[in-house]
């Protein structure tokens, strides 16, 4: 099959690589590959630490993709001869005040209910694991199954193995022959024929002419990269996620420093938000005092593509057109699963029905249609007026 992939973030690139591996002729279109949400991502593969109540649809996807990551890393590392910065150190989630401790207790209970290994620790025991933690830390939960990866190394490896299959061009529209999508139109006006189109351009997916309306919204995140002074290195040996009086911050150790992030905001400035950076640094220093001695080498803000229910939108929206977007904060973690499911759907292979339904882009339209049908069938109750006359639906 000839397949056009729109978007060269981690989702588009991983899906393209999967399709190439299955023998398809694939071309990826993006004027600025790997410069959107993937560039700002911290790379936490924290399906356990990021679990929360009310994620009945999302949590199984996160766990399923996490289980695929070692194979994904091994395969891509072998093809590209690159290190991807993969580390299997686990995640240490810590808290400061009593409310933070209660939140960690609730988190550990949920993790155990899901059959995940978890250790509940005191602040002292947490400092035995991570000497850089400050005295403000009073409680912790350690989830050993969590990993991390460097998304920039992953996208660089994918771009290398895809090579000239990636074209630095913008897509204006998908094109049709009859009722089927049969290609794309570039901003230059050039038409590209394809047997299938994969739209994986993040928030930009919804702006491409001819793609049905998608319930996407931008969720901005500010993130910092710090250089750790040699005297303090290593500042941390594993990912630390913290609750600081109810506010969230995480610190991810890398070979070249430490990543601190990430704010979650909707609306406001499109660039780096001063108040968010101030809060991140303040809370990070509360948890790891050595942060105050580090050098800021990068401040970055990017909008994440989020769906209405924080679950991705992956599925065929019409014949010949697959969308794969709406991954919110979990695009890096979900990339192997998204690539496999997207490729299966393009090829017409069966996909587990629970998984397919969970990520179906039509689920919101289907729910709205169902509500409309229910309302159409609803008959107002009879209302008795003060003098005993019965009228139907009177007000």
């Amino acid at each position: 099959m000839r397949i056009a992939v729109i978007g060269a973030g981690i989702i588009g690139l991983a899906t393209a690589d999967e399709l190439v591996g299955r023998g398809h002729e694939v071309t990826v279109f993006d004027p600025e590959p790997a410069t959107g949400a993937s560039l700002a991502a911290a790379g936490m593969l924290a399906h356990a630490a990021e679990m929360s109540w009310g994620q009945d649809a999302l949590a199984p996807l996160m766990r399923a993709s996490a289980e695929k990551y070692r194979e994904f890393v091994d395969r891509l590392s072998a093809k590209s001869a690159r290190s991807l910065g993969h580390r299997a150190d686990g995640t240490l989630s810590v808290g400061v005040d009593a409310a933070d401790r209660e939140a960690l207790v609730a988190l550990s209970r949920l993790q155990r209910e899901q059959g995940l290994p978890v250790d509940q620790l005191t602040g002292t025991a947490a400092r035995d694991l991570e000497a850089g933690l400050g005295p403000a830390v009073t409680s912790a939960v350690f989830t050993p199954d969590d990993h991390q990866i460097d998304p920039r190394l992953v996208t660089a490896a994918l771009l290398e193995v895809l090579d000239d299959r990636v074209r630095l061009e913008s897509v204006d529209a998908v094109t049709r022959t009859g009722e089927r999508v049969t290609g794309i139109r570039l901003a230059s006006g050039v038409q590209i024929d394809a047997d299938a189109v994969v739209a994986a351009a993040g928030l930009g997916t919804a702006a491409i002419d001819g793609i049905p309306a998608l319930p996407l919204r931008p969720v901005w995140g500010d993130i910092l990269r710090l250089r750790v002074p040699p005297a303090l290195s290593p500042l941390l040996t594993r990912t630390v996620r913290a609750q600081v009086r109810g506010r969230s911050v995480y610190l991810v150790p890398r070979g070249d420093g430490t990543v601190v992030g990430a704010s979650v905001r909707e609306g406001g400035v499109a660039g780096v938000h001063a108040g968010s950076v101030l809060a991140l640094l303040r809370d990070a220093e509360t948890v790891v005092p050595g942060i105050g001695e580090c050098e800021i080498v990068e401040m970055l803000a990017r909008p994440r593509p989020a769906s209405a229910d924080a679950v991705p939108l992956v599925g065929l929206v019409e014949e010949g057109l697959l969308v794969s977007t709406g991954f919110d904060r979990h695009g890096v973690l979900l990339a192997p699963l998204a690539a496999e499911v997207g490729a299966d759907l393009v090829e017409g292979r069966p996909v587990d029905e629970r998984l397919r339904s969970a990520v179906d882009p039509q689920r919101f339209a289907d729910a709205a249609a169902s509500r409309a049908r229910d309302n159409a069938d609803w008959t107002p109750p009879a209302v008795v007026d003060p003098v005993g006359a019965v009228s139907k639906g009177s007000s």
Side-chain angles (χ1 to χ4, degrees), residues 316-336:
L316 293 165
V317 291
E318 58 184 286
E319 193 174 359
L321 177 60
L322 177 108
V323 299
S324 188
T325 184
F327 290 84
D328 203 336
R329 298 182 298 109
H330 305 296
V332 176
L333 172 57
L334 293 175

Side-chain angles (χ1 to χ4, degrees), residues 167-239:
R167 292 177 54 174
L168 307 182
E169 298 185 68
S170 295
V171 175
D172 275 357
V174 297
T175 56
R176 293 172 174 78
T177 301
E179 298 298 315
R180 180 185 177 87
V181 170
T182 54
I184 58 175
R185 186 181 71 246
L186 303 181
S188 63
V190 172
Q191 299 277 141
I192 305 291
D193 294 331
D195 298 306
V197 174
V198 176
L203 287 166
T205 303
I208 298 169
D209 190 34
I211 291 182
L214 298 171
L216 290 173
R217 72 187 198 282
V219 178
W220 284 86
D222 304 275
I223 196 163
L224 313 174
R225 280 174 166 77
L226 311 179
R227 182 175 292 117
V228 181
L232 294 180
S233 185
L235 189 60
L236 294 170
T237 62
R238 57 178 58 78
T239 297

Side-chain angles (χ1 to χ4, degrees), residues 87-121:
R87 296 173 56 165
D89 307 313
T91 299
L92 189 64
S93 300
V94 305
V96 172
D97 64 12
D100 298 334
R101 289 195 299 275
E102 290 178 8
L104 287 176
V105 169
L107 173 63
S108 64
R109 184 168 65 248
L110 176 61
Q111 291 163 336
R112 290 191 180 96
E113 288 177 1
Q114 297 297 319
L116 297 169
V118 55
D119 294 322
Q120 205 167 328
L121 307 172

Side-chain angles (χ1 to χ4, degrees), residues 24 45 65 67-68 117 122 131 133 140 144 155 159 179 195 208 229 241-242 299 325 356 362 381:
H24 298 289
L45 310 178
S65 197
E67 291 170 354
K68 297 177 182 294
T122 64
L133 294 177
T155 54
L159 286 167
E179 298 298 315
D195 298 306
I208 298 169
R241 295 180 60 88
M299 294 189 292
T325 184
R356 189 202 65 77
Q362 306 287 354

Side-chain angles (χ1 to χ4, degrees), residues 21-45:
R22 297 185 185 195
H24 298 289
E25 181 184 331
V26 181
T27 308
V28 183
F29 298 87
D30 192 320
E32 298 181 303
T35 58
S38 300
L39 182 69
M44 295 177 294
L45 310 178

